[in-house]
Structures are given as C-alpha cells and as structure tokens.
C-alpha cells in the first residue's frame, strides 16, 4: 500500500508498505527500491555499483520470487509485494551458498557476489537440478564481475544446482566455508569468504555514523577552460544543504599527487580546468539526494579554450600547455640503448618487420565506485588538537594520509586513514579520488561526511589505462633468432602525472618482452593532454609493449617459416641471458621455457585439429623495482585473555592477530597472510585474525606492482619467526620486515642493472573457430614461483584472462576531440559478460624465485600480458589480416574467409 507521511522537514511525502525479509515495512520517498533498502532500512548487502542505470547487477534482490535489480524499481512497483535481500535468505541457504562460493573460489573482492547469489537462487528455485551451466551463463548476463572471469561462479552454480556439498575440509559444522588446516600451498577458501558472499562485509558506502552528512561533487563542464567565477548561492539555498566548499576554502596545499604534486583538489576562480574530471565544488548536505540535486545548481562562468587531445601534437614544438600552471606537455622520457647500432643490426638481419601498433584507453570498471568517510575526532587532552579519521578504499592509505594532511595544512600525525577492503581497484584507486575533498569538508564542518561517486563521476575522475602508439622494428636471423629491436612509444597520460611516467618507463623496460635481444634501442614518452587522466592499471605498461612485441614475433615466424611456438622457444629468456635494459636473468627465468613446454601439447593438438591458434608469451615484474626502496612490515600478536594474561606463553587455542600493510581488493592478500601464519606458527586457521593496520608505519607505497603476496608473505613470515624466537608470548607485538632495496633505476646507465628483483612468466594459447572467429578456449600456463594458494591463483589467472580477452577484442574508453569520454555507462565499455567467456585451462608452473619468500612470484598482473597478442594471431589465422590496433572488434573485426 502507499499513503502520505511527513518527512523530517515537515513536508508531506509518500509512504510505501511491503514485506521485506518476512517483515512488513513502511518506507518514505526514495528514487528507487535500492535507496530505500540501503538508506532507510539499513539493508546494505545489495550493493550500489551503478544506480540508477541497472547495468551491473550488484543490487539484485527477489521481488515476488523474481530476480530484479533494485535500482531500477520504483517503490510503487513493490507496494504490497514481497522483497527478499541477501539478509533475508534462510540460515540453511546462507550456509549453502557461502560454502559453495567459498569452496570453488567464486568470490574475490565480493562486491558483485551478493547480487549474483540472489540471481542464482532465483534460477535454482525455478529450475532445480535441471539448471545447466550454459543456461546460468546466459542469465548472468545482467551481472558484471571484473575479478573472477565468471568461470568459478558457474562452478558454484553447478554445485548448488546439483545439491552437492562443499568438500568437508572447506566446511565448518554450520556449512560455512572455512580454511583447511594447512598453510602455504593449501587449496583453501578465501579469508572472510562467507561474509563476502552474503554481503555482510561492509564497504565504505555501507558505513554510517551518527550525524553524518553527504557530499556530492560538481565537475568541470569543459576539458580546458578558464574559470571566471563560481556562484554557489543557488545550491546553498536548497533546504538541507549545509555548505558548498570550493578551492577558496582550502587551508593548505591545493595540489596533490603520488609523484608530482600537480593535481588540484579543486579548480579555483582564476584557474583553468584540464579535464572533465576536475572538481569545482563539493556540496555537503543532510542527505545524498539533496547533495546531488544541489550540486547541479552550482553555476560556473567559463572561458572555454581549445582542448589539446592529440598526444603527438601535444609534444610537438610550439604546442600550448595542456595543463594550467605547468610548463610543457612532455611528462617524461624513458630510454636506453644496448649492444651497438640498432640501424646496422636491423640492416644485417635476414628478416625484419616494421609496424606501428596502437593500443586503446581502457577503464578499470571496478564494481565499487569510490567512496570516502571522514570523521572528526575530539580534541586531544594532551596536545589540545583535534584530529580526523578517514576511511578509505584506496590502494595506498599512507599516501592518502599525507596528501589529506597537506590539503588541510596540518601535521600528518593528526590524520588517521583506515584502509577498508575495497570492491576492486586494478590500479584505479592508487590516486586520491574524493578522499581530500571529503576530509576537508569534515574538517571544516567538524561533522562526519561521506562522499560516494556515481558511476558517471567515477568514469570521469579516476585514471585509466594509457593508450600507447608503438613504432616497432624487430629483426631476426635466418633461423628466427632475434637480432635487434627498436621501439618508439608515445603514451597519452592525460593532464596530471599520477604514475604515468612510471607506466611508460615500465613499457620501455618490457619492450623486448620475455626474449633475448642482443641490440636494443628504446624510447618511451609520456605526453600530457586534456583527455582522461591515465595511470596505473593491471599490467602497467607491460600489456601495451608486449602486444606489439608478440605481433612482431608472429610476423617474423611467418617470414622464417616456423611456428609461433618455435620462435618463442628459440628466443625466450633463460638464466644468464641479458634482458631488455641489460639485466642478467637469474634462475627464476626458467619459468619462461617451462610455461612454453606446459602449453605445447595443447598448442600442437589445436593446430592438428585445424583450429586458428594464437600463442602469447609474457613477463611481468613483481615489485616496483627501478631503484625504489620497497619495505613491508607485519606484526604478529597473541591475544591475552583471563587464562593467559599478557606476558604468558600462548596456548594451543590462543587467538593470533596478523597485522599487515596491504590493501585487500580481491586478490587474497589476507588469505596469504593467514596461510603464512598457519605455516610458520603451526596454529589452526580459525585462530588467526587478519587486519590491515594503518595505526602504525608498516608500509611504504601502494598495493601495486604484483608485490602484495611476495612482500606480504615475506614480512608475515619474519614476524612469525620473531614470535618463535621470542617464545610466542601473549600481549607482545612481534615485528617482521621484508625489503627489496637492491634494484637500479633505468636512468642510472649501468651496463647490467637489476631493474626488477622478480619476474613472473605466462604462456597462453588462444584457440578459435576458423569459420566464425569465436574464441573457443584458452590454455594459460603461469609461473607463480610457488602457489601459496592454488585456488586463489587460478581465480586470479581466470579473471586476468577475462580482462585480457576484453582488452584484445572489445574494451575501449575513447575521448572525442573535446576531451570528452564517449562512454558514460558500464554497458558501453565492452566488458565481456558470462556468456562471452570461453573455458580457461589453468596450468600452474612453479619455477621458484631465488631469495624470494617460499619462491613466490606475483600473479595479479601477468595474466593479461600475453593475451592480446595471442588473440591477434588467432584472428589472423581466421581471416589473414595482421592486427596492429586494439580493440580488434572496433578497428579490425574478423572477416571469416570463405
């Protein structure tokens, strides 16, 4: 039923009555059902990834037994009806679904999972054991999952439809998934997988505190324009608006940044916008809806200027500055030469290829939009100073803290940033998004403030993958052994630095791929423009560079008359070989050849079967390298209790806290920390509690560069050793530290620099149908050094392959000549859905990395480095066209041969 009520301002409104999770409720006016569930009823398991567009599926609930996306449902459509959210599932259902999803590794960051669970429940209620995998994949088309690649989700669906139980070693007495009683190497369920599956794990936008206000940004209307005036009066006059904050209110630094402090938190009057994600104002109001409505009423007087959107024109002599207050449009130049004259070496080669490759800008499409909650703290009695607690989902909370403190003009000791596990990041949450603006609002108003981006705002603001043009020349001898490589790269980094110079530096370093090349000449330029900011994204320049390198190898293989497998095997790095900038490879490089050998049977069989077959071989560093001093610390602490007070030896049932410094964003770093503690201390997994501890200085830098597992495991293992050396006493913090501080900068000019401490390797075979060009399956052999958790490794690889296939075929985020992104919804991005994902056979190769904890190598990024090159070759075998531009479907679509 629907009737009238009065809101908090005494205004008449509409109330809607329906049954929710078995209880009759009455709610006030809201833009859609999702808002009523989350904001009034406090039911936050249904997540908001894109409201009100209904394109992600994260908010799926049951309405009268049917799966529906709640952000698309007006309240009058549920009046008198019945709504079931994940919180309303029966205890038996909750246990069964959590056990199945945990057992098969179907949950990673968890943001999309509760919505998928509700869809799966509706499908099983309707179809029972007759629900097929193919049928489920079609119905999951309403859902995006950026982490898993869907395959393990479909494994869970099959288990649930058949009524199968999770393996007993992965189940507790109540049916929920738990860790097996083993440490490193165990195929174990993810830490907190039950809470993640059911939506009980809170993300920032699920959090609420008394007296909390809501922020909403007003973004730039022009990519490049002088700001003449900002009029906030109309917005301030809206009932419920508390303040409108602009650059004039910033007491400290106006610009922030991870490397260069060049990114304004607000564009002031007299300043100039540099892209459409620039923030002009933050409206703070009593409700989210009020803040959003009022933000649209901020009036800005602009003097539009011609945006600079062509990176080649941007770096040309005489070009106007793209960015306000900065001199020139060349962000960085990374270069090196080795082995003599590349011109002479190419001329002397039996075969050579010269090709220009172009990769595209890509959006991370993490499912959780950026959100920040800032809460002022009371005045400290000793110092007389107040402070600020900030809850951030960023990938580097210490960087967040330092930048927030700089904007507020206070010492960073007065700012505590707590890391909240996020709903996916893939590099896109390294830079501050709305942390500084939200913190400033809370600081000025002395009230809690939460700001959550809409999907459209998220797409505009955060950095993307760089589009890179690569002019490549590669030569080989008559037997296919590489002789020389020359590369000239130009990447569009957008207006602000972010980590763009490091992405192009990484692309330069990886220009040779995993191959031995005697003569090398590489230069990579990062250009500033007025397009979207570009920065970190899974692969970090290695994807772009190796798409070109793999394409060159396939062209040379055709010229020599050998297979793609053979040319890679003849040139792959090996211990003692000189790689890229001159680094001498260690025994960890055995993984390249081992990955090739692992896929050879499948490669040969597919060729024999007459399929179109592409092969890619890739390498990706683990760790930042390039001279960066990388430090990871962890604390192990046995909890004291009445039976074992502080200072007593820990007992066999004592709770163990493991505190580390890495952002959990679906990759499983919490699980790694737990398994290392189990391995080293001999405790049961149920005894271990894992936390990211930002109350002390445990970390240095971002959770990035495929280094969380490697460095996290190293620091936790050393903390465990300290505990054992100290007798495992309750109430004591045992500190462990792991560091990598022996790498060299590319610019050091050393003959044989150690650019990176660790590399992972991967070989992927893409098998396609020659008639249609459809990818039928992928075989992925990945050298992980040592699989701390094989189940989680498989999930990372399958998710990476999904992302790599999208990168190769369909994903794009183009900007027009005005610097305006052409896509503003998730659906437009070209992300593959469940029905589009082919089977993936994962082969784990373990070639231990010398001097690495347990021999570990990173696996988070390498999974999509070789994919695009393999897809390009498979498509060439379908229609005879060489591919040099991504995404293939947009620029060089398959035309099957008759």
């Amino acid at each position: 039923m629907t009737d009238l009520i009065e809101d908090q301002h005494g205004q008449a409104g509409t109330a809607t009555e329906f049954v929710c999770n078995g209880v009759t409720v009455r709610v006030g006016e809201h833009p859609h059902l999702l808002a009523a569930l989350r904001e009034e009823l406090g039911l936050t398991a249904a997540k908001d990834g894109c409201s009100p567009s209904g394109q992600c599926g994260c908010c799926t609930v049951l309405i009268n037994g049917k799966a529906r996306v709640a952000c698309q449902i007006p309240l009058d459509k549920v009046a008198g009806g019945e709504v079931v959210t994940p919180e309303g599932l029966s205890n038996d259902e909750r246990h069964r679904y959590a056990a199945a999803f945990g057992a098969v590794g179907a949950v990673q960051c968890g943001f999309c999972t509760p919505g998928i669970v509700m869809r799966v429940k509706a499908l099983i209620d309707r179809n029972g054991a007759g629900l097929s995998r193919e049928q489920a994949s079609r119905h999951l088309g309403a859902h995006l999952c950026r982490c898993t690649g869907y395959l393990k989700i479909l494994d869970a669906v099959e288990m649930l439809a058949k009524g199968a139980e999770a393996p007993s070693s992965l189940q507790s007495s109540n049916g929920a998934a738990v860790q097996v009683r083993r440490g490193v190497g165990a195929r174990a369920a993810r830490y907190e997988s039950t809470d993640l599956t059911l939506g009980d794990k809170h993300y920032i936008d699920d959090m609420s505190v008394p007296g909390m206000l809501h922020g909403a940004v007003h973004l730039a209307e022009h990519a490049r324009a002088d700001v003449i005036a900002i009029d906030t009066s109309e917005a301030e006059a809206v009932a419920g608006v508390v303040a409108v904050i602009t650059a004039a209110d910033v007491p400290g630094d106006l610009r922030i940044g991870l490397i260069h402090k060049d990114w304004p938190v607000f564009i002031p009057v007299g300043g100039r916008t540099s892209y459409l994600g620039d923030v002009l104002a933050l409206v703070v109001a009593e409700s989210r809806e009020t803040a959003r409505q009022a933000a649209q009423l901020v009036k800005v007087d602009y003097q539009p200027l011609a945006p600079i959107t062509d990176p080649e024109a941007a770096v040309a002599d005489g070009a106007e500055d793209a960015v306000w207050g900065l001199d020139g449009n060349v962000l960085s130049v990374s270069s090196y030469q080795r082995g003599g004259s590349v011109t002479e070496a190419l001329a002397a080669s039996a075969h050579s290829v010269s090709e220009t490759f172009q990769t595209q800008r890509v959006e991370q499409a993490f499912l959780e939009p950026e959100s920040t909650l800032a809460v002022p703290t009371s005045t400290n009695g000793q110092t007389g100073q107040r402070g600020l607690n900030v809850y951030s989902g960023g990938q580097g909370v210490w960087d967040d803290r330092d930048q927030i403190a700089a904007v507020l003009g206070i010492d960073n000791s007065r700012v505590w940033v707590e890391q909240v596990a996020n709903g996916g990041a893939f590099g896109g949450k390294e830079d501050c998004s709305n942390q500084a603006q939200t913190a400033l609002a809370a600081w000025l108003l002395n009230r809690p403030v939460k700001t959550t981006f809409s999907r459209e705002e998220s797409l505009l603001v955060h950095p993307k993958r760089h589009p890179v043009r690569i002019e490549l020349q590669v030569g080989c001898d008559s037997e296919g052994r590489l002789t020389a490589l020359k590369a000239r790269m130009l990447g569009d980094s957008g207006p602000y630095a972010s980590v763009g110079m490091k992405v192009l530096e990484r692309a330069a370093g990886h220009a040779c791929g995993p191959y031995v090349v005697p003569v090398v000449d590489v230069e990579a330029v990062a250009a500033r423009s007025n397009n979207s900011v570009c920065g970190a994204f899974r692969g970090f320049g290695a994807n772009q560079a190796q798409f070109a390198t793999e394409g060159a190898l396939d062209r040379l293989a055709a010229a020599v008359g050998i297979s793609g497998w053979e040319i890679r095997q003849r040139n792959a790095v090996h211990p003692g070989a000189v790689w890229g900038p001159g680094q001498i490879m260690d025994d960890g490089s055995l993984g390249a050849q081992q990955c090739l050998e692992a896929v050879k049977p499948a490669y040969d069989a597919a060729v024999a079967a007459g399929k179109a077959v592409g092969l890619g071989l890739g390498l990706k560093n683990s760790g930042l390298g390039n001279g960066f001093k990388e430090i990871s610390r962890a604390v192990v602490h046995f909890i004291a209790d009445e039976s074992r007070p502080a200072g007593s030896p820990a007992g066999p049932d004592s709770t163990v806290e493991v505190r580390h410094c890495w952002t959990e964003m679906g990759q499983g770093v919490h699980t790694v920390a737990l398994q290392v503690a189990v391995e080293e201390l001999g405790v049961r997994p149920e005894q271990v509690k894992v936390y990211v501890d930002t109350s002390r200085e445990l970390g240095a830098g971002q959770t990035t560069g495929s280094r969380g597992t490697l460095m996290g495991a190293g620091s936790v293992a050393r903390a465990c050793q300290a505990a054992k050396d100290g007798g495992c006493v309750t109430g004591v913090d045992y500190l462990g530290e792991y560091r990598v501080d022996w790498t060299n900068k590319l610019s050091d000019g050393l003959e044989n620099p150690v650019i990176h401490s660790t590399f992972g390797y991967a070989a992927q075979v893409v098998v396609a149908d020659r008639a249609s060009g459809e990818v039928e399956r992928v075989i992925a052999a990945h050298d992980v050094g040592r699989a701390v958790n094989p189940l989680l490794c498989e999930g990372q690889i399958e998710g990476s392959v999904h992302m790599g296939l999208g990168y190769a075929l369909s994903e794009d985020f183009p900007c027009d000549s005005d610097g305006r992104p052409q896509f503003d919804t998730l659906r437009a991005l070209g992300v593959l859905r469940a029905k589009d994902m082919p089977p993936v056979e994962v082969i784990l190769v373990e070639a231990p990395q010398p001097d690495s904890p347990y021999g570990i190598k990173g696996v988070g990024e390498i999974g999509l480095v070789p994919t695009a090159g393999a897809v390009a070759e498979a498509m060439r075998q379908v229609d005879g066209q060489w591919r040099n531009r991504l995404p293939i479907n947009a620029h060089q679509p398959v035309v099957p041969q008759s």
Side-chain angles (χ1 to χ4, degrees):
M1 62 172 289
T2 300
D3 56 19
L4 295 179
I5 59 171
E6 286 189 353
D7 66 15
Q8 59 183 325
H9 302 294
Q11 301 295 315
T14 302
T16 302
E17 184 176 289
F18 56 94
V19 175
C20 184
N21 297 335
V23 177
T24 300
V25 298
R26 296 176 77 241
V27 298
E29 288 188 341
H30 295 277
H32 41 66
L33 174 61
L34 179 62
L37 294 173
R38 292 179 57 83
E39 296 173 21
E40 185 166 347
L41 299 179
L43 299 170
T44 58
K47 307 303 180 187
D48 186 352
C50 69
S51 71
S53 69
Q55 296 184 8
C56 72
C58 295
C59 65
T60 299
V61 298
L62 301 185
I63 300 177
N64 299 326
K66 296 181 179 180
R68 295 287 185 266
V69 287
C71 74
Q72 290 271 284
I73 306 298
L75 284 176
D76 61 354
K77 298 296 183 183
V78 297
E82 182 176 4
V83 175
V84 179
T85 72
E87 293 94 337
L89 296 176
S90 70
N91 287 337
D92 177 66
E93 287 175 319
R94 288 170 64 83
H95 296 324
R96 284 194 299 109
Y97 280 87
F101 273 68
V104 302
V107 57
Q108 291 191 26
C109 83
F111 195 82
C112 69
T113 313
I116 291 173
V117 164
M118 299 309 289
R119 177 78 57 181
V120 172
K121 172 179 164 51
L123 290 171
I124 291 175
D125 285 350
R126 186 165 70 246
N127 299 281
L131 179 63
S132 69
R133 189 181 183 96
E134 187 276 334
Q135 184 182 12
S137 70
R138 283 191 288 106
H139 283 281
L140 286 175
H143 296 263
L144 274 178
C145 176
R146 197 58 160 159
C147 296
T148 67
Y150 305 106
L151 300 178
K152 293 195 182 303
I153 293 172
L154 293 171
D155 292 343
V157 173
E158 286 188 311
M159 177 182 288
L160 289 161
K162 294 174 181 176
E165 296 290 337
S168 58
S169 62
L170 288 170
Q171 242 185 45
S172 67
S173 59
N174 65 7
V178 298
Q179 299 292 333
V180 294
R181 296 176 180 269
R182 289 181 288 147
V184 173
R187 190 179 179 86
R190 178 178 301 274
Y191 182 72
E192 297 183 321
S193 64
T194 295
D195 288 346
L196 289 165
T197 299
L198 300 173
D200 296 339
K201 175 73 173 175
H202 279 187
Y203 304 88
I204 293 171
D205 197 37
D206 299 331
M207 301 168 65
S208 182
V209 296
M212 185 177 75
L213 301 171
H214 296 266
V217 293
H218 180 95
L219 299 180
E221 297 171 37
H222 303 277
R224 186 167 178 257
D226 289 333
V227 177
I228 308 303
I230 301 175
D231 182 358
T232 62
S233 59
E234 192 174 347
E236 291 170 329
V238 174
V241 168
V242 176
V244 180
I245 294 169
T246 67
D249 300 303
V250 176
D253 294 347
L254 185 64
R255 298 174 186 264
I256 60 175
L258 295 175
I259 299 175
H260 296 330
K261 307 302 180 186
D262 63 350
W263 197 328
V265 293
F266 292 100
I267 304 298
V269 173
R272 178 179 294 172
T273 65
S274 297
Y275 84 126
L276 289 166
D278 276 327
V279 179
L280 278 296
L282 180 78
V283 175
V284 185
E286 297 288 349
S287 73
R288 182 178 312 200
E289 282 303 305
T290 299
R292 290 204 167 280
Q293 291 168 8
Q296 298 176 22
L297 301 178
V298 174
K299 306 299 182 185
V300 181
D301 183 11
Y302 293 99
Q303 179 62 53
L305 302 170
I308 298 169
T309 57
D310 179 349
E312 186 172 5
V315 299
D317 292 341
E320 294 184 53
D321 293 341
V323 184
W324 163 61
L326 301 182
D327 184 16
N329 298 328
V330 176
L331 174 61
S332 66
V333 178
S334 303
S335 65
Y336 59 94
Q337 298 79 37
R338 177 175 56 81
S341 169
V342 72
T343 302
E344 293 177 4
L346 286 168
S349 300
H351 303 280
S352 65
V353 295
S354 179
E355 183 68 88
T356 298
F357 296 86
Q358 179 68 56
T359 69
Q360 77 279 40
R361 185 180 297 102
V362 184
E363 155 68 23
Q364 289 88 350
F366 41 74
L367 270 295
E368 178 210 20
E370 300 89 332
S371 186
T372 301
L373 171 61
V375 183
T377 58
S378 58
T379 301
N380 185 295
Q382 293 181 330
T383 66
Q385 295 179 318
R386 62 192 179 102
L388 192 67
N389 290 352
V390 181
Y391 299 88
S392 169
Q395 292 179 239
V397 289
W398 286 276
D399 286 326
D400 290 355
R401 176 199 63 187
D402 293 346
Q403 292 176 91
I404 288 168
V407 170
L408 301 185
I410 62 176
D411 188 81
N412 65 17
S413 63
R414 298 171 67 184
V415 179
W416 176 48
V417 179
E418 180 173 342
Q419 201 279 319
V420 179
N422 67 43
F426 312 110
K429 293 179 180 176
E430 290 190 14
D431 297 89
C432 280
S433 55
N434 50 30
Q435 289 96 320
Q437 295 89 347
T438 306
L440 175 62
W443 184 256
L444 295 176
L445 299 173
N446 202 28
R447 287 184 63 179
V449 178
K450 180 170 70 176
T451 304
T452 302
F453 279 162
S454 68
R455 179 57 60 179
E456 293 77 12
E457 291 162 349
S458 175
L459 292 175
L460 286 170
V461 172
H462 71 253
K464 315 294 184 238
R465 187 187 300 287
H466 284 74
V468 181
R469 188 191 71 202
I470 304 163
E471 297 175 357
L472 188 65
Q473 294 175 267
V474 186
C476 71
D477 64 19
S478 60
E479 295 182 342
R481 289 182 174 83
L482 299 176
T483 55
L485 179 146
K486 179 180 180 180
R488 294 294 181 264
M489 306 183 191
L490 177 62
D492 183 352
S493 216
Y496 305 126
S498 180
V499 292
M501 69 288 288
K502 292 299 180 182
V503 173
L504 269 296
E505 179 182 71
R506 191 69 42 80
H510 284 62
C512 294
Y515 304 113
V516 179
V517 186
V519 183
V520 181
D521 184 342
V522 176
E523 181 182 87
V525 176
R528 294 186 189 267
S529 74
N530 298 121
N531 296 315
S532 297
V533 178
C534 289
F537 190 170
R538 194 180 205 172
F540 205 86
N543 312 53
Q544 296 95 317
Q546 291 178 70
F547 166 63
T549 307
E550 292 300 283
L553 257 73
D554 284 323
R555 288 160 172 81
L556 288 173
V560 175
I562 58 177
S563 71
W565 188 91
E566 186 64 34
I567 196 168
R568 288 167 174 81
Q569 192 276 333
R570 293 181 186 183
N571 291 286
V573 293
H574 51 80
V578 178
W579 169 80
Q583 180 164 344
I584 298 174
M585 304 303 275
D586 59 24
D587 287 349
S589 63
L590 289 167
Q593 295 281 358
Q594 291 178 14
C595 287
L596 281 172
E597 293 294 338
V599 300
K600 191 172 191 302
Y603 178 88
D604 289 343
V607 171
K611 298 295 184 180
V613 185
L615 171 64
L617 182 65
L619 91 164
K620 176 67 178 64
N621 60 293
S622 300
L624 303 181
N626 286 287
F628 192 86
K629 301 226 173 339
E630 303 180 68
I631 302 170
S632 172
R633 300 185 185 93
V635 170
V636 166
H637 183 105
F638 292 86
I639 297 297
D641 55 29
E642 291 183 0
S643 62
R644 290 182 173 82
S648 304
D653 296 319
S654 292
T655 297
V656 182
E657 287 186 348
V658 178
R659 296 178 175 272
H660 65 83
C661 60
W662 301 98
T663 300
E664 175 59 74
M665 46 195 175
Q667 82 279 40
V669 69
H670 282 349
T671 313
V672 168
L674 182 147
Q675 289 186 246
V676 170
V678 169
E679 177 81 12
E680 298 296 330
L681 299 176
V683 296
R684 300 187 311 278
E686 297 91 324
Q687 294 174 249
V688 181
K689 305 296 181 187
V690 183
Y691 304 94
V692 179
D693 188 346
T694 53
S695 66
R696 55 189 110 194
E697 299 290 326
L698 294 181
Q702 301 274 328
T703 302
T704 187
S706 298
R707 65 186 185 137
T709 294
L710 186 155
M711 300 198 69
S715 58
V716 172
R718 291 183 178 178
C720 290
Q721 186 59 51
K724 290 187 287 186
D725 293 343
C728 294
V729 174
T730 61
V732 176
D733 285 349
Y734 295 103
L735 180 67
E737 179 181 287
Y738 183 82
R739 61 170 58 210
V740 176
D741 55 7
W742 61 84
T743 62
N744 307 119
K745 295 179 182 178
L746 190 63
S747 59
D748 286 345
L750 301 178
E751 182 178 355
N752 295 118
V754 178
I755 300 298
H756 297 292
S757 65
T758 305
F759 291 96
Y761 301 90
Q764 293 181 1
V765 176
V766 172
V767 180
D769 178 69
R770 283 189 180 272
S772 65
E774 179 181 353
V775 176
E776 296 181 336
R777 66 187 184 113
V778 177
I779 302 92
H782 283 246
D783 170 27
V784 300
R786 173 77 186 281
V788 177
N789 185 317
L791 181 66
L792 269 59
C793 282
E794 290 171 4
Q796 284 288 292
I797 293 165
E798 290 171 2
S800 295
V801 170
H802 167 263
M803 194 174 281
L805 290 172
Y807 180 53
L809 293 169
S810 56
E811 293 189 36
D812 203 356
F813 194 77
C815 293
D816 63 20
S817 59
D818 291 325
R820 185 173 298 280
Q822 294 181 256
F823 302 148
D824 60 2
T825 65
L826 286 172
R827 183 173 290 125
L829 300 177
V831 178
L832 300 182
R833 301 281 174 151
K835 65 180 178 60
D836 305 313
M837 184 64 184
V840 177
E841 177 188 347
V842 175
I843 303 170
L844 295 182
V845 174
E846 294 182 311
Q849 176 64 37
D851 301 321
S852 168
Y854 310 107
I856 289 169
K857 300 172 181 177
V859 71
E861 297 177 276
I862 179 65
L864 69 159
V865 171
T867 317
V871 171
E873 171 58 15
M875 297 303 103
R876 182 195 71 85
Q877 293 184 18
V878 172
D879 64 9
Q881 298 183 65
W882 291 110
R883 263 68 185 188
N884 63 357
R885 190 171 182 184
L886 299 178
I888 289 171
N889 289 350
H891 300 291
Q892 296 171 295
V894 171
V895 181
Q897 295 176 323
S898 57

